[in-house]
Amino acid sequence: MKIVVLAGGTSTEREVSISSGTKVCQALQEKGHQAILVDVFCGRAEAQAETAFEELGNVQEAAAYMAAYNHKIEEMKNSRKEFFGPMVLELCRAADVVFLALHGENGENGKVQACFDLLGIPYTGAGHFSSAIAMDKGMTKTVLTASGVPMPKGVLLKRKEGLRELSELQMELPVVVKTCCGGSSVGVYITRTEEEYKKALKEAFDLEEKVLVEEYISGREFSVGVVAGEAYPVIEIAPKEGFYDYKNKYQPGATVETCPADLTQEQTREMQEYACRGCQALGISSYARLDFLMREDGRMYCLEANTLPGMTPTSLLPQEAQALGIDYPSLCERLIQVSLQER
């Protein structure tokens, strides 16, 4: 197959996306596909749609080319209106499918997906509507709670409302403050004092207009991948320090990950059922990954849904697939297969 692996972009998760895209593109080439790595924002001005898939080039060189733009992204965003870089849409139209290795804003929020739907370009992952809802943690909370998936109690705040005291929100410390549409735990703060709460609100509002304030739940962290309606083995995430933030997600050795997780059969089944129910409620029939916390008493809470889960060397979904005997290249092909069936 001719495959564009689309990565990079303009979000705070650009570097993670490049890492995901590099790994995916290498795996697909190993499987014999004509896969090329393309930066959705910076593009490939020298490429020709007619010959690009025959002249694959070195994936690591393509990744290095993309990374060279990292420090220029903000400047480039301010100097142009067009999101798609040179030759991006032409290459995507010429491909049999686009593997979306994008993360964060303008990658997971449904905008790219909506454009591709209008242009008739097949792509991996959830559709534009499901992507938009799942990207917004406030909307996700509304949809999943109504569907019987337990989530932490929380309140949605808007920047224009100004600082809201916890007493107004009928909440008590400690609380979690997090941006509504961030990813990779960027813009997530655990606050235990009034000073920390106010500082976290300010920093979160500097990143986004909408912020969630949630009750803090102490417990074990888990994740469950769902592919074509089937829940993969539960993986437990135990950071050696702090919580599962950006550093602990992507720094090798910072987190102990156990798959399958050390849970009872009943607990495993319950968490997997919640994950499948969450995907169904959000209208996701291709694949996604849902994150959970479980208290000491066994009560479970879903934290969020990820419609384009990470595919880096340390990412969770590939580890869950490995527990089923599915190697990384085969997982990439599987994700393409289930996505094409949805479209």
Side-chain angles (χ1 to χ4, degrees), residues 43-169:
R44 289 180 56 166
E46 83 293 346
Q48 298 294 322
E50 298 81 10
T51 59
F53 297 96
E54 282 73 40
E55 303 168 355
L56 299 181
N58 184 283
V59 179
Q60 289 291 350
E61 288 180 3
Y65 171 82
M66 293 165 67
Y69 283 95
N70 288 352
H71 69 288
K72 305 176 184 178
I73 295 300
E74 289 303 315
E75 178 184 345
M76 292 171 67
K77 283 168 64 177
N78 294 330
S79 65
R80 76 181 215 212
K81 295 181 179 180
E82 175 72 34
F83 175 70
F84 292 103
M87 290 300 298
V88 169
L89 291 179
E90 290 85 349
L91 291 169
C92 290
R93 283 194 182 101
D96 296 311
V97 65
V98 177
F99 194 112
L100 294 181
L102 299 168
H103 304 310
E105 183 184 10
N106 290 336
E108 291 185 78
N109 62 5
K111 292 183 179 180
V112 169
Q113 290 84 349
C115 179
F116 283 3
D117 284 338
L118 289 172
L119 294 174
I121 296 173
Y123 57 89
T124 59
H128 69 275
F129 187 66
S130 298
S131 298
I133 294 175
M135 188 67 182
D136 187 312
K137 294 181 179 66
M139 287 296 297
T140 299
K141 185 181 292 292
T142 299
V143 172
L144 295 195
T145 301
S147 301
V149 179
M151 300 195 79
K153 181 179 72 174
V155 179
L156 180 66
L157 303 182
K158 297 180 180 179
R159 185 190 297 155
K160 63 183 179 182
E161 296 173 346
L163 178 66
R164 298 281 298 278
E165 299 291 339
L166 286 173
S167 56
E168 290 183 70
L169 308 179

Side-chain angles (χ1 to χ4, degrees), residues 14 24 46 59 63 103-104 116 132 135 149 169 173-174 198 208 228 257 269-270 298 303 318 320 338:
R14 175 179 169 82
V24 168
E46 83 293 346
V59 179
H103 304 310
F116 283 3
M135 188 67 182
V149 179
L169 308 179
L173 291 165
K198 292 175 182 178
E208 288 185 21
E257 293 156 351
R269 183 169 57 252
E270 182 181 5
L303 299 178
E320 295 178 47
V338 300

Side-chain angles (χ1 to χ4, degrees), residues 163 177 189 197-207:
L163 178 66
V177 175
Y189 312 86
Y197 166 68
K198 292 175 182 178
K199 182 173 182 283
L201 269 187
K202 181 182 182 305
E203 291 182 6
F205 278 132
D206 284 343
L207 293 171

